[in-house]
Amino acid sequence: MATRLPIENAWQRASLNWPSAKNTEQVSQKIALVIKALEEIVLCSGILTIPNRVRQHLDQQRVGNVLNFHEYLNDELPRLEDRLLILNYMHSHPTLVNGVVSVEDGLIYFASPKPWRRYASFGMVLLVALAGFGAVWFACQIETFNCDQAGGWTRLRTAYLLTLIGAVAHVLIEFLKRDRVSKANASGLYDWFLHVHVKEISFVQAAVSLWVGFLLLAYSVDKPIEGETAFLLGYSIDSFLDLFLQRFSKKSSAGIQALQQQLQPSRPVETPKS
């Protein structure tokens, strides 16, 4: 292997610089050189063995589980720069481990080695997002809100489509921003696809929040949803969801109070005693 030669060279330097009992004048300098050579041996050995051990560890995990690389190898590689070097090595050789290596965070996310399982994650997110059309239609059928006042099923369907487009635009812009910062190579798009796979639960939750947020918007505004509003909703759903939940809570509380008043039994009219 290519790493074997640096190990042999480092071992030779350690042997040549090993301080002897006869020469005590430059002991400190010799010991420093020996320690440096031994640290290089440990690092090169780690490059040979650690990726395989990490791979075996990740193979026992579920998709999306995270391995904190620094905690995992803190005792074996106490120097941060050595751990970062191995992390960069695994990041630049993605076939060494079944996972996504985040050098900045020091985390490795487990990814399934099966291609169909990786595509299934993307399909799952897409299906959940498209399920929003059914959720909006069902909400109109059970009269969760005034569908005609909101523009009718046709207009609501178009508005939700624009919400999905806004969400996709947000994801693509985030990808382009990361790509420009990290100066990703041609495999950058595939890395983003793996990112969806290893964080499939988070993306599914985000897809659910799209049509939940859209329904809350339709329930709260009591008027047709404009296309620009729908697009911006999808683009920044996290910012708007809390606001809609607050408005929904206030509006539903008022409705519950009115319903309670309607259901309260009326008191019998007392007739005056003769």
Side-chain angles (χ1 to χ4, degrees):
M1 287 188 178
T3 317
R4 181 177 178 180
L5 184 59
I7 293 177
E8 292 178 348
N9 292 338
W11 183 252
Q12 290 178 0
R13 292 199 304 273
S15 301
L16 292 174
N17 291 292
W18 198 272
S20 61
K22 298 180 180 179
N23 185 9
T24 59
E25 297 179 356
Q26 299 178 340
V27 172
S28 298
Q29 183 179 359
K30 293 282 187 178
I31 289 178
L33 293 174
V34 170
I35 291 176
K36 184 177 180 180
L38 293 178
E39 287 176 344
E40 185 177 342
I41 291 174
V42 172
L43 178 60
C44 293
S45 300
I47 293 176
L48 287 174
T49 61
I50 288 174
N52 185 54
R53 285 154 47 197
V54 170
R55 183 190 186 100
Q56 293 176 357
H57 177 83
L58 290 176
D59 287 344
Q60 308 300 319
Q61 307 298 316
R62 297 176 181 175
V63 171
N65 281 11
V66 182
L67 172 66
N68 190 316
F69 187 79
H70 294 299
E71 292 182 358
Y72 182 66
L73 289 173
N74 185 49
D75 294 337
E76 184 174 340
L77 293 174
R79 297 197 308 175
L80 176 62
E81 56 269 27
D82 291 343
R83 297 195 299 270
L84 289 175
L85 191 148
I86 294 181
L87 271 173
N88 277 290
Y89 178 78
M90 290 190 293
H91 178 73
S92 60
H93 297 79
T95 58
L96 290 177
V97 295
N98 292 320
V100 175
V101 180
S102 175
V103 179
E104 297 81 6
D105 302 325
L107 303 176
I108 304 177
Y109 299 86
F110 172 64
S112 173
K114 302 175 182 177
W116 69 266
R117 181 62 182 86
R118 299 184 179 188
Y119 287 108
S121 298
F122 188 82
M124 187 191 323
V125 175
L126 181 61
L127 287 176
V128 172
L130 293 178
F133 288 106
V136 175
W137 177 85
F138 184 73
C140 285
Q141 298 304 309
I142 63 175
E143 298 181 352
T144 303
F145 54 88
N146 193 328
C147 188
D148 294 331
Q149 190 175 4
W153 161 241
T154 302
R155 184 158 185 172
L156 285 170
R157 179 180 58 191
T158 303
Y160 182 71
L161 177 61
L162 290 172
T163 301
L164 291 181
I165 294 175
V168 172
H170 178 78
V171 171
L172 291 178
I173 289 175
E174 287 297 318
F175 165 71
L176 291 175
K177 287 165 61 177
R178 291 190 180 188
D179 184 62
R180 289 175 65 88
V181 171
S182 61
K183 298 180 180 180
N185 51 24
S187 65
L189 185 60
Y190 185 69
D191 290 341
W192 184 253
F193 179 79
L194 280 179
H195 181 75
V196 176
H197 169 61
V198 299
K199 293 189 175 181
E200 60 182 10
I201 300 300
S202 298
F203 275 90
V204 167
Q205 292 174 346
V208 172
S209 69
L210 283 177
W211 48 267
V212 170
F214 184 84
L215 290 174
L216 290 174
L217 174 63
Y219 180 83
S220 302
V221 297
D222 292 331
K223 65 179 181 179
I225 301 175
E226 300 295 335
E228 182 181 0
T229 302
F231 180 86
L232 292 176
L233 172 66
Y235 187 84
S236 54
I237 183 63
D238 292 336
S239 302
F240 288 110
L241 197 56
D242 290 338
L243 176 62
F244 292 151
L245 287 172
Q246 293 175 5
R247 295 188 61 178
F248 175 77
S249 178
K250 293 180 181 179
K251 190 171 182 179
S252 60
S253 297
I256 291 173
Q257 291 176 0
L259 181 61
Q260 288 175 343
Q261 292 177 359
Q262 293 177 8
L263 295 178
Q264 284 179 354
S266 58
R267 294 182 179 179
V269 179
E270 297 181 358
T271 56
K273 296 181 179 179
S274 57

Coordinates of all heavy atoms in Angstrom, one line a residue, residues 44-102:
C44 N -0.3 7.4 10.0 CA -0.4 6.5 8.8 C -1.1 5.2 9.1 O -1.8 4.7 8.2 CB 1.1 6.3 8.3 SG 1.9 7.8 7.7
S45 N -0.8 4.6 10.3 CA -1.5 3.4 10.6 C -3.0 3.6 10.7 O -3.9 2.8 10.3 CB -1.0 2.8 11.9 OG 0.4 2.6 11.8
G46 N -3.4 4.8 11.3 CA -4.8 5.2 11.4 C -5.5 5.3 10.0 O -6.6 4.9 9.8
I47 N -4.8 5.9 9.0 CA -5.3 6.0 7.7 C -5.6 4.6 7.1 O -6.6 4.4 6.4 CB -4.4 6.8 6.8 CG1 -4.3 8.2 7.3 CG2 -4.8 6.8 5.3 CD1 -3.3 9.1 6.5
L48 N -4.7 3.6 7.5 CA -4.9 2.3 6.9 C -6.1 1.5 7.6 O -6.8 0.8 7.0 CB -3.6 1.5 7.1 CG -2.4 1.8 6.2 CD1 -1.2 1.0 6.6 CD2 -2.8 1.5 4.8
T49 N -6.2 1.7 8.9 CA -7.2 0.9 9.7 C -8.5 1.6 10.1 O -9.5 0.9 10.2 CB -6.5 0.4 11.0 OG1 -6.1 1.5 11.8 CG2 -5.2 -0.4 10.6
I50 N -8.5 2.9 10.3 CA -9.6 3.5 10.9 C -10.8 3.5 9.9 O -12.0 3.3 10.3 CB -9.3 5.0 11.3 CG1 -8.4 4.9 12.6 CG2 -10.5 5.8 11.6 CD1 -7.9 6.3 13.0
P51 N -10.7 3.8 8.6 CA -11.8 3.8 7.7 C -12.6 2.5 7.7 O -13.8 2.4 7.7 CB -11.2 4.1 6.3 CG -10.0 4.9 6.6 CD -9.5 4.3 7.9
N52 N -11.8 1.4 7.8 CA -12.5 0.0 7.8 C -13.2 -0.2 9.1 O -14.4 -0.7 9.1 CB -11.5 -1.1 7.6 CG -12.1 -2.4 7.5 OD1 -13.0 -2.7 6.7 ND2 -11.6 -3.4 8.3
R53 N -12.7 0.3 10.2 CA -13.4 0.2 11.5 C -14.6 1.0 11.6 O -15.6 0.6 12.1 CB -12.4 0.5 12.7 CG -11.4 -0.6 12.9 CD -10.1 -0.1 13.5 NE -10.4 0.9 14.6 CZ -9.4 1.7 15.1 NH1 -8.2 1.7 14.6 NH2 -9.8 2.5 16.1
V54 N -14.5 2.2 11.0 CA -15.7 3.1 11.0 C -16.8 2.5 10.1 O -17.9 2.5 10.4 CB -15.3 4.5 10.4 CG1 -16.5 5.3 10.1 CG2 -14.4 5.2 11.4
R55 N -16.3 1.9 9.0 CA -17.3 1.2 8.1 C -18.0 0.1 8.9 O -19.3 0.0 8.8 CB -16.6 0.7 6.9 CG -17.5 0.0 5.9 CD -16.7 -0.7 4.8 NE -17.6 -1.2 3.7 CZ -17.7 -0.6 2.6 NH1 -17.1 0.5 2.3 NH2 -18.5 -1.1 1.7
Q56 N -17.3 -0.7 9.6 CA -17.9 -1.8 10.4 C -18.9 -1.3 11.4 O -19.9 -1.9 11.7 CB -16.8 -2.7 11.0 CG -16.0 -3.4 10.0 CD -14.9 -4.2 10.6 OE1 -14.6 -4.2 11.8 NE2 -14.1 -5.0 9.8
H57 N -18.5 -0.2 12.1 CA -19.3 0.4 13.1 C -20.6 0.9 12.5 O -21.7 0.7 13.0 CB -18.6 1.6 13.8 CG -19.4 2.3 14.8 ND1 -19.6 1.8 16.1 CD2 -20.1 3.4 14.7 CE1 -20.4 2.7 16.8 NE2 -20.7 3.6 15.9
L58 N -20.5 1.6 11.3 CA -21.7 2.2 10.7 C -22.6 1.1 10.1 O -23.9 1.3 10.1 CB -21.3 3.2 9.6 CG -20.6 4.5 10.0 CD1 -20.2 5.2 8.8 CD2 -21.6 5.3 10.8
D59 N -22.1 0.0 9.7 CA -22.9 -1.1 9.2 C -23.9 -1.6 10.2 O -24.8 -2.3 9.8 CB -22.0 -2.2 8.6 CG -21.4 -1.8 7.3 OD1 -21.8 -0.8 6.7 OD2 -20.4 -2.4 6.9
Q60 N -23.6 -1.4 11.5 CA -24.5 -1.8 12.5 C -25.6 -0.8 12.9 O -26.4 -1.0 13.8 CB -23.7 -2.2 13.8 CG -22.5 -3.1 13.6 CD -23.0 -4.4 13.0 OE1 -24.0 -5.0 13.4 NE2 -22.2 -5.0 12.1
Q61 N -25.6 0.3 12.2 CA -26.5 1.4 12.5 C -27.7 1.5 11.5 O -27.7 0.9 10.5 CB -25.7 2.8 12.5 CG -24.5 2.8 13.4 CD -24.8 2.5 14.8 OE1 -25.7 3.1 15.4 NE2 -24.0 1.7 15.5
R62 N -28.7 2.3 11.9 CA -29.8 2.6 11.0 C -29.4 3.8 10.1 O -28.5 4.6 10.4 CB -31.0 2.9 11.8 CG -31.5 1.8 12.6 CD -32.7 2.2 13.4 NE -33.2 1.2 14.3 CZ -34.2 1.3 15.2 NH1 -34.8 2.5 15.3 NH2 -34.6 0.3 15.9
V63 N -30.1 3.9 9.0 CA -29.9 5.0 8.1 C -30.1 6.4 8.8 O -31.1 6.6 9.5 CB -30.8 4.9 6.9 CG1 -30.8 6.2 6.0 CG2 -30.5 3.7 6.0
G64 N -29.1 7.2 8.7 CA -29.3 8.5 9.3 C -28.6 8.6 10.7 O -28.4 9.7 11.2
N65 N -28.3 7.5 11.3 CA -27.6 7.5 12.6 C -26.2 8.2 12.4 O -25.6 8.1 11.4 CB -27.4 6.1 13.2 CG -28.6 5.6 13.8 OD1 -29.7 6.2 13.7 ND2 -28.5 4.5 14.5
V66 N -25.8 8.9 13.5 CA -24.6 9.7 13.4 C -23.5 9.2 14.3 O -23.7 8.8 15.4 CB -25.0 11.2 13.9 CG1 -23.7 12.1 13.7 CG2 -26.1 11.7 13.0
L67 N -22.3 9.2 13.8 CA -21.1 8.9 14.5 C -20.3 10.1 14.7 O -19.9 10.8 13.7 CB -20.3 7.8 13.8 CG -18.9 7.5 14.4 CD1 -19.0 6.9 15.7 CD2 -18.1 6.6 13.4
N68 N -20.1 10.5 16.0 CA -19.2 11.6 16.3 C -17.7 11.1 16.2 O -17.3 10.5 17.1 CB -19.5 12.2 17.7 CG -18.8 13.5 18.0 OD1 -17.6 13.7 17.7 ND2 -19.5 14.4 18.5
F69 N -17.1 11.5 15.2 CA -15.7 11.0 14.9 C -14.7 11.4 15.9 O -13.9 10.6 16.3 CB -15.3 11.4 13.5 CG -14.0 10.8 13.1 CD1 -13.9 9.5 12.5 CD2 -12.8 11.5 13.1 CE1 -12.7 9.0 12.1 CE2 -11.6 11.0 12.7 CZ -11.6 9.7 12.2
H70 N -14.8 12.6 16.4 CA -13.9 13.1 17.4 C -14.0 12.4 18.8 O -13.0 12.0 19.4 CB -14.1 14.6 17.6 CG -13.7 15.4 16.4 ND1 -12.5 15.4 15.8 CD2 -14.5 16.2 15.6 CE1 -12.5 16.2 14.8 NE2 -13.7 16.7 14.6
E71 N -15.3 12.1 19.2 CA -15.4 11.4 20.4 C -15.0 9.9 20.2 O -14.5 9.3 21.1 CB -16.9 11.4 20.8 CG -17.4 12.8 21.3 CD -18.8 12.8 21.7 OE1 -19.5 11.8 21.7 OE2 -19.3 13.9 22.1
Y72 N -15.3 9.4 19.0 CA -15.0 8.0 18.8 C -13.5 7.7 18.8 O -13.1 6.6 19.2 CB -15.6 7.6 17.4 CG -15.4 6.2 17.0 CD1 -16.0 5.2 17.6 CD2 -14.6 5.9 15.9 CE1 -15.9 3.8 17.2 CE2 -14.4 4.6 15.5 CZ -15.1 3.6 16.1 OH -14.9 2.2 15.7
L73 N -12.7 8.7 18.4 CA -11.2 8.4 18.3 C -10.4 9.4 19.1 O -9.2 9.6 18.8 CB -10.8 8.5 16.8 CG -11.2 7.3 15.9 CD1 -10.9 7.6 14.5 CD2 -10.6 6.0 16.4
N74 N -11.0 10.0 20.1 CA -10.3 11.0 20.9 C -9.1 10.4 21.6 O -8.0 11.0 21.7 CB -11.2 11.7 21.8 CG -10.6 12.8 22.6 OD1 -9.9 13.7 22.0 ND2 -10.7 12.8 23.9
D75 N -9.3 9.2 22.2 CA -8.2 8.5 22.9 C -7.1 8.0 22.0 O -5.9 8.1 22.3 CB -8.8 7.3 23.7 CG -9.7 7.8 24.8 OD1 -9.6 9.0 25.2 OD2 -10.6 7.0 25.2
E76 N -7.5 7.5 20.9 CA -6.5 7.0 19.9 C -5.7 8.0 19.2 O -4.5 7.9 18.9 CB -7.2 6.0 18.9 CG -6.3 5.3 18.0 CD -7.1 4.3 17.1 OE1 -8.2 3.9 17.5 OE2 -6.5 3.9 16.1
L77 N -6.4 9.1 18.8 CA -5.8 10.2 18.1 C -6.1 11.5 18.9 O -7.1 12.2 18.6 CB -6.3 10.4 16.7 CG -6.0 9.2 15.7 CD1 -6.7 9.4 14.4 CD2 -4.5 9.1 15.5
P78 N -5.3 11.8 19.9 CA -5.6 13.0 20.7 C -5.4 14.3 20.0 O -6.0 15.3 20.4 CB -4.6 12.9 21.9 CG -3.5 12.0 21.3 CD -4.1 11.1 20.3
R79 N -4.7 14.4 18.9 CA -4.4 15.6 18.2 C -5.6 15.9 17.2 O -5.9 15.0 16.4 CB -3.1 15.6 17.5 CG -1.9 15.5 18.5 CD -0.6 15.9 17.8 NE -0.4 15.2 16.5 CZ 0.6 15.5 15.6 NH1 1.5 16.4 15.9 NH2 0.7 14.8 14.5
L80 N -6.2 17.1 17.3 CA -7.3 17.4 16.5 C -6.9 17.4 15.0 O -7.6 17.0 14.1 CB -7.8 18.8 16.9 CG -9.0 19.4 16.0 CD1 -10.2 18.5 16.0 CD2 -9.3 20.8 16.4
E81 N -5.7 17.9 14.7 CA -5.3 18.0 13.3 C -5.1 16.6 12.7 O -5.4 16.4 11.5 CB -3.9 18.7 13.2 CG -2.8 18.2 14.0 CD -2.7 18.8 15.4 OE1 -3.7 19.3 15.9 OE2 -1.6 18.8 15.9
D82 N -4.8 15.6 13.5 CA -4.7 14.2 12.9 C -6.1 13.7 12.6 O -6.3 13.0 11.5 CB -4.1 13.3 13.9 CG -2.6 13.6 14.1 OD1 -2.0 14.3 13.2 OD2 -2.0 13.2 15.1
R83 N -7.1 13.9 13.5 CA -8.5 13.5 13.2 C -9.0 14.2 12.0 O -9.7 13.6 11.2 CB -9.3 13.7 14.5 CG -8.9 12.9 15.7 CD -10.0 12.9 16.8 NE -10.3 14.2 17.2 CZ -9.7 14.8 18.3 NH1 -8.7 14.2 18.9 NH2 -10.1 16.0 18.7
L84 N -8.8 15.5 11.9 CA -9.3 16.2 10.7 C -8.6 15.7 9.4 O -9.3 15.6 8.4 CB -9.0 17.7 10.9 CG -9.8 18.4 11.9 CD1 -9.4 19.9 12.1 CD2 -11.3 18.4 11.6
L85 N -7.4 15.3 9.5 CA -6.7 14.8 8.3 C -7.4 13.5 7.9 O -7.6 13.3 6.7 CB -5.2 14.6 8.6 CG -4.3 14.3 7.4 CD1 -2.9 14.8 7.6 CD2 -4.2 12.8 7.1
I86 N -7.7 12.6 8.8 CA -8.3 11.3 8.4 C -9.8 11.6 8.0 O -10.2 10.9 7.0 CB -8.3 10.4 9.6 CG1 -6.8 10.0 9.9 CG2 -9.1 9.1 9.3 CD1 -6.7 9.0 11.1
L87 N -10.4 12.5 8.6 CA -11.8 12.9 8.1 C -11.8 13.4 6.7 O -12.6 13.0 5.9 CB -12.4 14.0 9.1 CG -13.2 13.5 10.3 CD1 -13.6 14.7 11.2 CD2 -14.4 12.7 9.9
N88 N -10.8 14.3 6.4 CA -10.7 14.7 5.0 C -10.3 13.6 4.1 O -10.8 13.6 2.9 CB -9.6 15.8 4.9 CG -10.2 17.2 5.3 OD1 -10.9 17.8 4.6 ND2 -9.8 17.7 6.5
Y89 N -9.5 12.7 4.5 CA -9.2 11.5 3.7 C -10.4 10.7 3.4 O -10.6 10.3 2.2 CB -8.1 10.7 4.4 CG -7.7 9.4 3.7 CD1 -6.8 9.5 2.6 CD2 -8.2 8.2 4.0 CE1 -6.4 8.4 1.9 CE2 -7.8 7.1 3.3 CZ -6.9 7.2 2.3 OH -6.5 6.0 1.6
M90 N -11.2 10.4 4.4 CA -12.5 9.7 4.1 C -13.5 10.4 3.3 O -14.2 9.9 2.5 CB -13.1 9.2 5.4 CG -12.3 8.2 6.2 SD -13.2 7.5 7.6 CE -13.3 8.9 8.7
H91 N -13.5 11.8 3.5 CA -14.4 12.6 2.7 C -14.0 12.6 1.2 O -14.9 12.6 0.3 CB -14.4 14.0 3.2 CG -15.2 15.0 2.4 ND1 -16.6 14.9 2.5 CD2 -14.9 16.0 1.5 CE1 -17.1 15.9 1.7 NE2 -16.1 16.5 1.1
S92 N -12.7 12.6 0.9 CA -12.2 12.6 -0.5 C -12.2 11.2 -1.1 O -12.0 11.0 -2.3 CB -10.8 13.2 -0.5 OG -9.9 12.4 0.3
H93 N -12.5 10.2 -0.2 CA -12.6 8.8 -0.7 C -13.9 8.2 -0.2 O -13.9 7.4 0.7 CB -11.4 7.9 -0.2 CG -10.1 8.4 -0.7 ND1 -9.4 9.4 -0.2 CD2 -9.3 7.9 -1.8 CE1 -8.2 9.6 -0.8 NE2 -8.2 8.7 -1.8
P94 N -15.0 8.6 -0.8 CA -16.4 8.3 -0.2 C -16.7 6.8 -0.2 O -17.6 6.4 0.5 CB -17.3 9.1 -1.1 CG -16.6 9.3 -2.4 CD -15.1 9.5 -2.0
T95 N -16.0 6.0 -1.0 CA -16.3 4.6 -1.1 C -15.7 3.8 0.1 O -16.0 2.6 0.3 CB -15.8 3.9 -2.4 OG1 -14.4 4.2 -2.5 CG2 -16.5 4.6 -3.6
L96 N -14.9 4.5 0.9 CA -14.3 3.8 2.1 C -15.3 3.5 3.1 O -15.2 2.5 3.9 CB -13.2 4.7 2.7 CG -11.9 4.8 1.8 CD1 -10.9 5.8 2.5 CD2 -11.2 3.5 1.6
V97 N -16.3 4.4 3.3 CA -17.3 4.2 4.3 C -18.7 4.4 3.7 O -18.8 5.2 2.8 CB -17.2 5.1 5.5 CG1 -15.9 4.8 6.3 CG2 -17.2 6.6 5.1
N98 N -19.7 3.7 4.2 CA -21.1 3.9 3.8 C -21.7 5.0 4.6 O -22.4 4.8 5.5 CB -21.9 2.6 4.0 CG -21.4 1.5 3.0 OD1 -21.1 1.7 1.9 ND2 -21.4 0.3 3.5
G99 N -21.3 6.2 4.2 CA -21.9 7.3 4.9 C -21.5 8.7 4.3 O -20.7 8.7 3.3
V100 N -22.0 9.7 4.9 CA -21.7 11.1 4.5 C -20.8 11.7 5.5 O -21.2 11.8 6.7 CB -23.0 11.9 4.3 CG1 -22.6 13.4 3.9 CG2 -23.8 11.3 3.2
V101 N -19.6 12.1 5.2 CA -18.6 12.6 6.1 C -18.7 14.2 6.1 O -18.5 14.8 5.1 CB -17.2 12.2 5.7 CG1 -16.2 12.8 6.7 CG2 -17.1 10.7 5.7
S102 N -19.0 14.7 7.3 CA -19.1 16.2 7.4 C -17.8 16.6 8.2 O -17.7 16.4 9.4 CB -20.3 16.6 8.2 OG -20.3 18.0 8.5

